[in-house]
Amino acid sequence: MEKHGTKRRRAWKMLHLATDTDTDTGQIVASVLAGREADDGSQVGPLLEQVDGSVASFTGDGAYDRDDVYAEVAARYPDAAVVVPPRASAVPSEAARSAPTQRDAHLRCIVERGRMGWQRALGYNWRALALSSRWALGGMN
């Protein structure tokens, strides 16, 4: 490519995968191929639409630390745990004292145990075993 150039412009795509982390197979249960203009959080809904059965947990990297991601998972699977590391600059919600959200609980755990302690407590590092995907679903039936 350096010597002869390229005939057309390359278009990057991002493949988002949902895997079943409860089985030893790591079976892919949903996938979405998105263009470079689509952000990670916007792909949660299309992935969850493809999932048959229940979801016990949603695990993703820091790109999924958004209110709409938590809301999307809760709307479809109210009992599902959302395990997403809050950003370093994250602050608790206004209702953190009276009705803490899952994200508020993550922030509290990070304050008490540190970020690595939070990862161990929630099993966050297991997502790396899920085919090195961007996120994984657990608890599939």
Side-chain angles (χ1 to χ4, degrees):
M1 192 168 83
E2 281 182 26
K3 186 175 181 180
H4 301 291
T6 180
K7 293 181 182 180
R8 60 184 173 160
R9 185 168 241 165
R10 293 176 187 233
W12 291 99
K13 303 280 185 186
M14 175 79 71
L15 178 61
H16 298 266
L17 301 173
T19 61
D20 182 350
T21 59
D22 279 351
T23 63
D24 292 334
T25 63
Q27 178 181 3
I28 296 172
V29 296
S31 64
V32 172
L33 187 62
R36 63 190 300 177
E37 71 284 345
D39 61 282
D40 292 347
S42 67
Q43 303 308 305
V44 173
L47 281 165
L48 290 176
E49 287 173 4
Q50 297 176 37
V51 176
D52 293 327
S54 64
V55 172
S57 66
F58 169 90
T59 304
D61 63 18
Y64 296 96
D65 181 33
R66 301 174 14 174
D67 290 337
D68 60 335
V69 169
Y70 282 87
E72 187 81 43
V73 174
R76 294 170 191 266
Y77 304 100
D79 296 330
V82 178
V83 183
V84 174
R87 299 179 194 282
S89 60
V91 295
S93 68
E94 292 179 11
R97 292 182 188 247
S98 59
T101 63
Q102 288 188 53
R103 186 172 186 268
D104 292 331
H106 295 319
L107 289 170
R108 185 174 52 249
C109 184
I110 289 171
V111 167
E112 293 170 358
R113 299 180 183 202
R115 193 162 287 270
M116 295 306 292
W118 172 84
Q119 289 182 9
R120 281 189 299 277
L122 279 104
Y124 177 73
N125 292 331
W126 281 100
R127 77 178 181 87
L129 299 176
L131 301 173
S132 300
S133 64
R134 296 288 298 215
W135 67 283
L137 293 174
M140 308 300 295
N141 288 337

